[in-house]
């Protein structure tokens, strides 16, 4: 049995060594930002023509991957999220790079106090890795006249989150936990 495992591992290593290395696929990592002085054209975020703007978007935590060097409080400029024209969304920083949306969708059913948006586009760094596909997830909340905005850039893009898939994953994890608890009790 040990000889079979060694033969399989040697075969896998041979295949990996024979496959040519792929070229760098562009920027990779994630970065979170928050909107500053966020305003909305309506207190009701579920309206199909709502526009949410911020005077600035700043980083409040460390990024990962190629975004790891972006310091806290780095500004990416003013943002405008026009639900009727999601492809107009951009983020720009003269030192780190820019994101331009090419498509977008509202995820789930917006409510008067919650709006979730997923955008696909390209992040173009000023220097370093090549430009590459990226996604931006924007979560906007409104309560008591106050509007807040959280933005996450992911390169390469993450898949569009589907509320039903998230719920099913949660149910699956809960079921796996229950099975584990029941097995421990019966042992």
């Amino acid at each position: 049995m040990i000889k079979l495992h060694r033969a399989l591992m040697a075969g896998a290593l041979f295949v990996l060594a024979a496959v040519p290395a792929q070229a760098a696929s562009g920027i990779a990592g994630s970065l979170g930002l928050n909107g500053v002085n966020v305003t909305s054209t309506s207190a009701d975020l579920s309206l199909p023509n709502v526009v949410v703007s911020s005077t600035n978007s700043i980083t409040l935590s460390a990024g990962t991957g190629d975004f790891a060097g972006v310091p806290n409080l780095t500004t990416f400029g003013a943002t405008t999220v026009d639900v009727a024209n999601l492809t107009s969304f951009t983020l720009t920083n003269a030192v780190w790079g820019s994101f331009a949306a090419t498509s977008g969708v509202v995820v789930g059913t917006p409510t008067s106090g919650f709006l979730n948006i997923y955008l696909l586009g390209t992040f173009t760094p000023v220097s370093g890795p090549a430009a590459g596909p990226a996604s931006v997830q924007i979560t906007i909340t409104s309560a008591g006249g106050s509007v807040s905005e959280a933005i996450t850039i992911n390169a390469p893009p993450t898949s569009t989150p589907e509320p039903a898939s998230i719920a099913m994953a949660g149910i699956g994890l809960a079921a796996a936990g229950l099975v584990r608890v029941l097995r421990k009790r019966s042992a």
Side-chain angles (χ1 to χ4, degrees), residues 82-166:
D82 181 351
V83 173
N85 184 14
L86 292 174
T87 59
S88 65
F89 183 83
T90 61
L91 284 170
T92 303
N93 177 282
V95 174
W96 298 100
S98 62
F99 171 84
T102 55
S103 66
V105 295
V106 173
V107 179
T109 303
T111 66
S112 62
F114 181 78
L115 179 60
N116 193 4
I117 296 171
Y118 176 83
L119 303 168
L120 281 175
T122 302
F123 189 88
T124 306
V126 171
S127 63
S135 63
V136 167
Q137 184 78 34
I138 304 171
T139 303
I140 302 166
T141 57
S142 174
S146 176
V147 182
S148 63
E149 175 183 60
I151 302 169
T152 305
I153 304 169
N154 289 297
T158 60
S159 60
T160 306
E162 297 177 25
S165 298
I166 294 168

Side-chain angles (χ1 to χ4, degrees), residues 40 42-47 50 111-113 142:
S40 175
S42 172
D44 185 354
L45 296 177
S46 67
L47 296 177
V50 71
T111 66
S112 62
S142 174

Side-chain angles (χ1 to χ4, degrees), residues 31 59 61-63 66-76 93 96 123:
L31 181 65
T59 59
S61 61
D66 293 324
F67 294 108
V70 180
N72 283 347
L73 304 179
T74 298
T75 64
F76 275 79
N93 177 282
W96 298 100
F123 189 88

Side-chain angles (χ1 to χ4, degrees), residues 25-39:
S25 60
I27 191 157
S30 80
L31 181 65
L33 301 111
N34 282 42
V36 177
N37 299 324
V38 181
T39 59

